[in-house]
Amino acid sequence: MAFPQSFLDELIARSDIVDVVSSYVQLTRKGSNLFGLCPFHSEKTGSFSVSPDKQIYYCFGCKRGGGVINFIMEEENLPFPDAVRFLAKRAGLEVPEEEGDRESGRRRQRLLDLNRDAARFYYQTLHQPEGRAVQEYLNRRKISRTTAVNFGLGASPDAWDALLTAMTKKGYTKSELLEAGLVVQNRNGGLYDKFRNRLMFPVIDVRGDVVAFGGRVLDKSEPKYMNTQETPVYSKRRVLYGLNLAKKTKRPNIILCEGNIDVVTLHQAGFDNAVASMGTALTVEQTRLLSRFTKELVLCYDNDSAGKIATDRALQILNNSEFTVRVLQLPRRRTEDGELVKQDADDFIKFQGAPAFEALLSGSENGVEFRMAQIAGKYDLSDDQSRIAYCDEVSRLLATLANPVEREVYTTRAAETAKITPEAMKLEVQRAYRQNLSRERKAELRRDLNPAAQLQPKERSLRYENVRSARAEEGVLRLLVLDPDLFSKAPPLREEQFSSPLLGRVFSLLWQTRQAGHSVSLAPLAGELSPEEMNHITAICQQPESPANRHQALADYIRIIQTEFQKRAQGGSVDPLLAATEKIKDKKGTGGKQHGN
């Protein structure tokens, strides 16, 4: 392992999983475990479980799990070494680093330092003669100096190598500049600045680190916006522009906008709860980040076809989540020529003012109302066939609402829109609801009729070839984690006797830990296993195991594993569970009749 096991033992002992997770998720005790809303996917009913006894977390919804290090890796988007450093800093421990890991941490910190120095360079350029064009652009956009300072806005010079020269003078290498996405390499191997003659927006994460940049042109040229590509310190799916400031808001919600300028203008107008995604639609990872700071979101995308598509996609992600979601639709603006044009939040603030936006914000509709309006806009409701088509589509939307009162309220509104009786609309919604239930039951029945599939790992790459042996192997791992004292000094099994390579590898890792005299737990495995592997191992370990007959259970598990290994070694019989599954499939395919000509 990269870190001494004794250090990891102390780190895990000082990083109780309940304490760590509680700083991100509100937990409620139910029996021996604690439950809350999963931070890794949207849900209204808490399926996220934390076990103080086993020091693991597991979500019964999205099937993610692991130990305390895994949790920080997922939640903070950090690789294993950096997650260890994060927890060590939290626990007040000094990290004993090996050379390779020290280099990895140094490399990451160098990129963050480089981004910080680049942000300072762009900021200083804005206030020098080379930044006059950007200063004039900010004046035209009515962005004050105070706001520019608050966001750390800057200017990239109209030159090919201004940043490259300045940063190499500071001691940064060309490879570091390339890795940070600040320079580009041409076909001949030469380097030049990626951002030139642009208004620069440093992207600062919630920890205060500059992780990326966005650059906007000053004229009509394309691309209008240019963003940093994915780097070792930046993933656009996990960052929201402006959240480092919006997280401090006293307002009850957070406004999601399309562009960086929208965020800057809204903050200047007093709406310090605005954020924007960086060149991507809203992602699940971003909703997880937002859930730390609010439970109410307001979608304020542009009022054009692209904005409406983005709104609909966001609503699909947020459907049945813990968030209350509203949609603020910006009206079109009439120009001096009488033409109606779309406007974004920045335009609306400039032409209508902050009080008008506040009024819109207060009256914004919820997500269901927005989607119902979108459906209604597709049909000519004066035509009978179109009204029938509208009723069919809107009933399928309303049938997805879990709350029966909510379904009733919006069913009545849909009936008013379609100009039919509430009773008739209610029948349509009930029909769609029954169809949904029928599909779910059929899917559940298919799963129940396939016992082997029920016992298989979620990931196809981890599927078992011998389910009977693998289930016993799972039991051995579970007992090893729960009670290592059950085992004698010599390992009762060899890794090659396991039918599942993953389970055999984990057994070896845990046994080596036990033999070295260290505590046996899943947390240190975060550095050895992939997220998918860790999810599966955690799913195994969170299953109950009766303490009353652990000795007999262990003997039974070992006997099954050894027996199945001998059969495989002799080219022996087929796994009985898989054989039973094939038999069921065969009967279903022939209607229970025997084959015949």
Side-chain angles (χ1 to χ4, degrees):
M1 290 185 182
F3 299 99
Q5 184 64 42
S6 56
F7 165 74
L8 290 177
D9 284 348
E10 186 176 358
L11 176 67
I12 292 161
R14 291 201 195 184
S15 305
D16 181 79
I17 196 165
V18 175
D19 291 341
V20 173
V21 173
S22 293
S23 62
Y24 298 87
V25 181
Q26 186 174 345
L27 297 172
T28 304
R29 183 170 288 279
K30 293 181 183 178
S32 60
N33 288 355
L34 295 96
F35 285 82
L37 294 173
C38 180
F40 307 130
H41 81 287
S42 297
E43 62 176 4
K44 284 187 175 177
T45 304
S47 57
F48 181 81
S49 165
V50 178
S51 170
D53 296 338
K54 302 172 185 174
Q55 286 293 298
I56 60 173
Y57 70 90
Y58 186 74
C59 177
F60 294 92
C62 67
K63 313 299 183 188
R64 295 191 187 191
V68 68
I69 301 174
N70 268 102
F71 182 82
I72 292 301
M73 288 171 66
E74 283 275 359
E75 189 65 23
E76 295 289 345
N77 185 31
L78 295 173
F80 176 77
D82 290 333
V84 169
R85 295 183 189 101
F86 181 99
L87 285 170
K89 184 177 180 181
R90 181 183 182 277
L93 284 173
E94 186 176 342
V95 182
E97 309 237 32
E98 291 185 358
E99 189 56 40
D101 288 313
R102 190 179 295 114
E103 176 60 28
S104 173
R106 190 196 69 83
R107 175 184 161 213
R108 178 182 173 83
Q109 190 57 50
R110 284 282 292 178
L111 293 181
L112 291 174
D113 292 345
L114 171 55
N115 282 339
R116 180 199 60 214
D117 286 338
R120 287 173 178 166
F121 171 82
Y122 292 136
Y123 177 81
Q124 290 164 359
T125 302
L126 176 62
H127 303 289
Q128 294 170 353
E130 295 87 348
R132 184 172 295 120
V134 176
Q135 290 177 33
E136 292 171 353
Y137 177 82
L138 289 174
N139 291 336
R140 291 197 302 273
R141 300 300 294 253
K142 299 181 180 177
I143 294 172
S144 70
R145 181 183 176 90
T146 300
T147 300
V149 170
N150 198 31
F151 279 89
L153 301 185
S156 54
D158 189 10
W160 287 99
D161 61 355
L163 180 76
L164 173 63
T165 301
M167 293 300 104
T168 50
K169 282 182 179 178
K170 278 186 167 289
Y172 295 105
T173 66
K174 292 178 179 180
S175 62
E176 287 173 334
L177 283 156
L178 268 172
E179 192 171 25
L182 291 168
V183 299
V184 179
Q185 191 167 39
N186 63 26
R187 292 179 181 177
N188 299 323
L191 300 179
Y192 59 91
D193 290 356
K194 176 172 182 171
F195 300 101
R196 303 180 309 282
N197 196 30
R198 287 177 179 263
L199 166 61
M200 297 300 296
F201 301 85
V203 181
I204 303 171
D205 67 12
V206 292
R207 293 192 293 272
D209 291 322
V210 179
V211 294
F213 293 91
R216 194 197 189 287
V217 294
L218 309 179
D219 51 26
K220 301 287 186 182
S221 59
E222 295 292 337
K224 182 177 178 181
Y225 278 99
M226 184 181 286
N227 298 316
T228 302
Q229 74 272 24
E230 301 274 314
T231 74
V233 297
Y234 173 61
S235 168
K236 66 182 180 181
R237 296 181 61 83
R238 297 173 180 267
V239 177
L240 286 155
Y241 180 73
L243 187 57
N244 61 307
L245 300 175
K247 70 177 184 178
K248 305 169 189 173
T249 186
K250 296 295 189 290
R251 287 179 175 266
N253 48 40
I254 285 181
I255 303 170
L256 281 165
C257 307
E258 281 196 39
N260 300 8
I261 283 284
D262 293 334
V263 173
V264 172
T265 302
L266 283 171
H267 276 251
Q268 181 172 278
F271 303 95
D272 63 349
N273 54 336
V275 301
S277 52
M278 294 289 295
T280 181
L282 182 69
T283 66
V284 173
E285 290 86 351
Q286 288 165 347
T287 65
R288 283 162 41 189
L289 186 59
L290 287 165
S291 69
R292 293 193 211 166
F293 309 108
T294 187
K295 295 303 176 190
E296 181 178 325
L297 299 176
V298 179
L299 306 181
C300 182
Y301 296 136
D302 295 355
N303 192 11
D304 56 11
S305 57
K308 288 174 181 176
I309 290 171
T311 301
D312 195 54
R313 285 178 180 169
L315 289 171
Q316 289 175 25
I317 288 175
L318 295 165
N319 188 37
N320 290 327
S321 71
E322 76 271 32
F323 291 103
T324 299
V325 185
R326 294 193 284 133
V327 179
L328 192 159
Q329 291 196 79
L330 296 167
R332 289 182 175 270
R333 178 174 59 85
R334 193 174 294 280
T335 65
E336 293 178 358
D337 300 330
E339 181 186 1
L340 281 173
V341 296
K342 74 158 183 115
Q343 58 182 339
D344 53 25
D346 175 61
D347 294 328
F348 188 90
I349 291 290
K350 285 182 174 59
F351 289 104
Q352 274 78 38
F357 188 87
E358 187 75 71
L360 269 184
L361 182 61
S362 300
S364 55
E365 59 193 358
N366 66 37
V368 180
E369 292 168 334
F370 172 82
R371 296 178 76 179
M372 287 175 67
Q374 292 293 101
I375 294 171
K378 293 161 59 177
Y379 299 99
D380 175 8
L381 296 177
S382 63
D383 175 74
D384 288 344
Q385 289 302 314
S386 293
R387 286 163 64 207
I388 292 169
Y390 164 78
C391 290
D392 177 65
E393 185 170 352
V394 80
S395 66
R396 282 186 272 117
L397 166 66
L398 299 179
T400 64
L401 300 178
N403 189 315
V405 176
E406 203 176 11
R407 277 203 309 274
E408 181 82 21
V409 169
Y410 292 115
T411 294
T412 302
R413 291 194 191 175
E416 292 170 358
T417 301
K419 295 182 174 61
I420 63 172
T421 66
E423 290 74 22
M425 193 72 236
K426 188 175 181 179
L427 288 172
E428 275 293 288
V429 174
Q430 286 175 342
R431 179 180 61 81
Y433 188 72
R434 285 194 297 269
Q435 286 177 342
N436 287 349
L437 283 179
S438 177
R439 280 193 292 269
E440 290 172 7
R441 284 170 184 157
K442 286 178 181 176
E444 189 175 343
L445 182 61
R446 282 195 296 270
R447 289 194 297 270
D448 290 343
L449 287 173
N450 193 344
Q454 285 285 79
L455 305 176
Q456 288 282 16
K458 182 182 176 183
E459 289 293 320
R460 287 191 172 275
S461 60
L462 306 179
R463 292 290 167 92
Y464 298 146
E465 291 184 7
N466 187 315
V467 178
R468 184 168 186 263
S469 181
R471 291 291 282 177
E473 294 159 21
E474 290 180 356
V476 169
L477 292 185
R478 197 158 45 243
L479 289 173
L480 182 54
V481 171
L482 286 173
D483 188 0
D485 292 337
L486 274 174
F487 293 77
S488 58
K489 291 184 178 180
L493 295 161
R494 302 187 308 277
E495 183 175 338
E496 61 266 24
Q497 289 179 297
F498 283 68
S499 65
S500 163
L502 170 63
L503 302 184
R505 181 158 57 97
V506 171
F507 175 79
S508 292
L509 289 169
L510 292 176
W511 192 266
Q512 289 164 15
T513 300
R514 180 182 183 273
Q515 284 188 315
H518 300 295
S519 60
V520 176
S521 72
L522 296 188
L525 295 182
E528 304 285 346
L529 305 181
S530 71
E532 294 76 19
E533 290 171 337
M534 191 56 138
N535 292 340
H536 181 55
I537 297 301
T538 309
I540 291 168
C541 290
Q542 62 81 30
Q543 293 170 12
E545 190 77 45
S546 173
N549 60 352
R550 287 183 183 179
H551 290 279
Q552 185 59 51
L554 178 60
D556 291 342
Y557 290 148
I558 292 172
R559 177 179 50 78
I560 291 170
I561 294 168
Q562 291 173 337
T563 301
E564 292 300 315
F565 172 69
Q566 289 172 359
K567 288 179 182 178
R568 292 196 305 276
Q570 297 166 2
S573 64
V574 178
D575 180 354
L577 276 171
L578 290 176
T581 300
E582 293 303 319
K583 189 174 181 181
I584 290 170
K585 288 180 180 176
D586 192 45
K587 283 185 177 180
K588 281 186 69 182
T590 59
K593 297 179 182 179
Q594 291 184 342
H595 290 281
N597 294 326

